[in-house]
Amino acid sequence: MRIIKSDACVAEGAASLASKHPEFAQALEQTGPLPLRLKPDGFGELFSAIISQQVSVASAQAIWGRLCAAGLDQEIAVQKATDDDLRACGLSRQKIRYGKALADAQLDYLAYRAMSSEDVITDLVKVPGIGRWTAEIYAMFSLGHADVFAPGDLALQEAAKVLFDLKDRPKEAPFREMAQAWSPWQSVAARILWAYYRVIKEREGIR
């Protein structure tokens, strides 16, 4: 299982994709070097991913900033927090429930480091509030898995529509199939598409 650990890994994946797919070469000419985007693993990053669901990048950043300032970005703190504590930071009723469920799940984050992407995703989606998108983002950025994609991501869909001159944004299932051609560097393909989205839309597509 290939793990992305450095900018050099991302550059290797980008060069491989550009050599096989002229669309990615075209995108990279506009985006320049890609960000590494690696994050720590553990409770905080999964909770942050839940916060990012179905809100703008700016809104997610603001809410997460308030949670961190209040010391509510750690598992034990969220377990002990009241609904009012979390609501004061901007969480909806649903995301309060999801955050509590994640804290109570007490997941074995260390074990995930040795598991395949699909095994990690299968285990994570058992927790209320964690769908495939959240689990895929965690595998991609917190575990560094090189060959995982998030075809349900709207920014990736829009970037692919423009870059590959598609009539419509690809739906999740056919987009997942499309991304198989980018193996074993699917997560680098995602980085290219997010960077390209930033160029064409002048805003971030992922936090």
Side-chain angles (χ1 to χ4, degrees):
M1 182 171 58
R2 191 185 297 265
I3 301 296
I4 291 176
K5 298 179 179 179
S6 66
D7 289 318
C9 296
V10 176
E12 178 186 352
S16 177
L17 289 165
S19 70
K20 299 173 183 177
H21 306 279
E23 294 89 352
F24 285 132
Q26 172 191 332
L28 287 164
E29 288 178 0
Q30 298 181 59
T31 66
L34 302 173
L36 181 58
R37 291 193 182 278
L38 286 189
K39 298 181 178 181
D41 61 344
F43 171 83
E45 289 306 320
L46 266 180
F47 190 27
S48 174
I50 288 173
I51 300 306
S52 297
Q53 293 171 359
Q54 298 180 325
V55 299
S56 69
V57 172
S59 294
Q61 288 175 330
I63 293 169
W64 186 244
R66 289 194 291 269
L67 285 165
C68 291
L72 296 175
D73 56 337
Q74 301 297 320
E75 191 172 65
I76 294 176
V78 174
Q79 285 178 330
K80 294 180 178 180
T82 66
D83 287 5
D84 286 343
D85 292 334
L86 295 169
R87 189 176 297 110
C89 294
L91 269 67
S92 65
R93 179 183 302 176
Q94 185 178 57
K95 288 188 178 178
I96 290 171
R97 180 167 67 85
Y98 290 163
K100 288 283 193 178
L102 176 61
D104 291 340
Q106 298 185 332
L107 300 174
D108 189 348
Y109 296 103
L110 290 178
Y112 289 154
R113 296 178 183 180
M115 292 166 60
S116 70
S117 298
E118 196 55 42
D119 285 346
V120 170
I121 291 165
T122 298
D123 197 59
L124 287 178
V125 297
K126 296 174 183 176
V127 180
I130 298 182
R132 280 200 68 94
W133 178 86
T134 302
E136 287 159 349
I137 294 300
Y138 185 81
M140 194 182 301
F141 295 144
S142 291
L143 298 177
H145 290 190
D147 202 28
V148 62
F149 197 67
D153 187 272
L154 295 180
L156 292 182
Q157 292 174 3
E158 180 63 22
K161 172 182 176 291
V162 176
L163 183 60
F164 290 90
D165 196 24
L166 305 176
K167 181 179 179 181
D168 300 300
R169 282 197 317 223
K171 301 295 184 182
E172 184 170 350
F175 198 20
R176 186 180 301 280
E177 184 175 346
M178 180 182 179
Q180 291 301 310
W182 308 330
S183 182
W185 293 108
Q186 290 184 76
S187 75
V188 177
R191 285 168 168 84
I192 296 174
L193 290 171
W194 273 312
Y196 186 65
Y197 180 88
R198 186 177 186 276
V199 170
I200 62 174
K201 298 295 183 179
E202 299 184 341
R203 63 177 184 270
E204 294 289 350
I206 190 75
R207 192 169 74 82

